[in-house]
């Protein structure tokens, strides 16, 4: 994979293609990390760290940076239709489905807010993400025509839909209202 940062292309071998998108990094950020990793490679290798490639060092730096940034936040998994059916079938389930796509900027804007809410409200409901490009049948089933769209399910029944990006506090109020929170 080629990544570009500040007009310079760098070759990066990423072992897991979903790693970058799951961590919320874009190619520009990864390019900057690769560039910094190339500059630090001699110092790191001389200091006793052993990386087989610059890409390994870059990925470890990405993970460290992202883990620090997301410390304390719950990870929202992107699931498929089969996993969603399994979660819905659980008795007493309260599920928030975030319909989004990797190319959608408003979806990326609300990602952090939803992760924070998932961490704060983990006892009350689950938040999962559905990528509409990978599972269009689930999006069609819930009538998703625009993204980001958030769908609320209680005991397997569709109770409400919210279309568009919103501030974190609005999402919190919305979820607590429909799920009976104080």
């Amino acid at each position: 994979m080629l990544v570009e940062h500040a007009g310079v292309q760098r070759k990066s071998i990423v072992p897991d293609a979903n790693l970058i998108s799951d961590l919320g990094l874009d190619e520009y950020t990864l390019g900057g990390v690769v560039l910094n990793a190339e500059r630090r490679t001699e110092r790191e290798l001389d200091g006793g760290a052993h990386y087989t490639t610059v890409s390994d060092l870059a990925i470890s730096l990405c993970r460290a940076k992202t883990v620090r940034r997301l410390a304390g936040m719950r990870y929202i998994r992107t699931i498929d239709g089969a996993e969603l059916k399994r979660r819905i079938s659980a008795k007493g389930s309260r599920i928030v489905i975030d319909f989004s796509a990797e190319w959608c900027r408003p979806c990326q804007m609300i990602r952090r807010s939803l992760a924070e809410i998932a961490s704060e409200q983990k006892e009350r409901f689950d938040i999962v993400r559905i990528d509409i490009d990978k599972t269009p049948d689930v999006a069609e089933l819930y009538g998703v025509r625009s993204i980001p769209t958030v769908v609320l399910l209680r005991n397997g029944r569709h109770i409400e839909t919210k279309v568009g990006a919103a501030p974190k506090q609005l999402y919190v109020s919305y979820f607590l209202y429909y799920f009976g929170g104080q």
Side-chain angles (χ1 to χ4, degrees):
M1 170 174 150
L2 286 176
V3 292
E4 186 173 327
H5 182 80
V8 179
Q9 282 196 345
R10 304 283 184 221
K11 187 173 183 176
S12 174
I13 302 165
V14 180
D16 182 8
N18 294 325
L19 174 68
I20 298 167
S21 62
D22 285 348
L23 293 178
L25 299 172
D26 57 13
E27 288 188 16
Y28 184 81
T29 304
L30 181 65
V33 171
V34 170
L35 189 62
N36 288 335
E38 287 178 346
R39 292 178 183 154
R40 294 178 55 187
T41 300
E42 294 87 26
R43 290 193 314 259
E44 294 291 330
L45 293 177
D46 290 341
H50 299 288
Y51 297 99
T52 55
T53 65
V54 172
S55 298
D56 292 341
L57 176 60
I59 289 171
S60 73
L61 291 172
C62 283
R63 285 181 180 152
K65 176 182 175 185
T66 304
V67 166
R68 282 193 306 270
R69 185 172 51 97
L70 299 177
M73 282 197 291
R74 191 167 162 225
Y75 177 72
I76 299 176
R77 283 192 39 198
T78 301
I79 63 173
D80 60 7
E83 174 70 13
L84 180 62
K85 283 181 186 176
R86 188 187 66 72
R87 287 183 184 225
I88 289 172
S89 66
K91 187 174 183 177
S93 64
R94 295 175 177 203
I95 301 172
V96 175
I97 307 171
D98 170 28
F99 287 95
S100 63
E102 290 303 317
W103 49 265
C104 171
R105 291 291 178 213
C107 300
Q108 293 172 5
M109 289 170 42
I110 68 169
R111 188 172 286 173
R112 182 180 179 124
S113 295
L114 291 177
E116 289 174 358
I117 294 168
S119 187
E120 295 164 2
Q121 305 292 332
K122 61 186 168 196
E123 302 302 321
R124 297 180 185 206
F125 50 84
D126 287 331
I127 300 179
V128 296
R129 181 170 293 120
I130 297 285
D131 187 327
I132 64 162
D133 291 330
K134 294 178 183 171
T135 53
D137 54 328
V138 176
E140 186 177 326
L141 177 68
Y142 288 100
V144 175
R145 303 254 186 258
S146 179
I147 55 174
T149 295
V150 175
V151 172
L152 280 61
L153 305 174
R154 184 176 21 201
N155 297 324
R157 291 190 354 202
H158 180 198
I159 58 171
E160 189 60 38
T161 300
K162 163 92 176 78
V163 179
K168 176 186 171 187
Q169 194 54 45
L170 186 64
Y171 280 121
V172 170
S173 311
Y174 178 72
F175 298 157
L176 293 179
Y177 175 79
Y178 282 102
F179 289 137
Q182 284 78 10

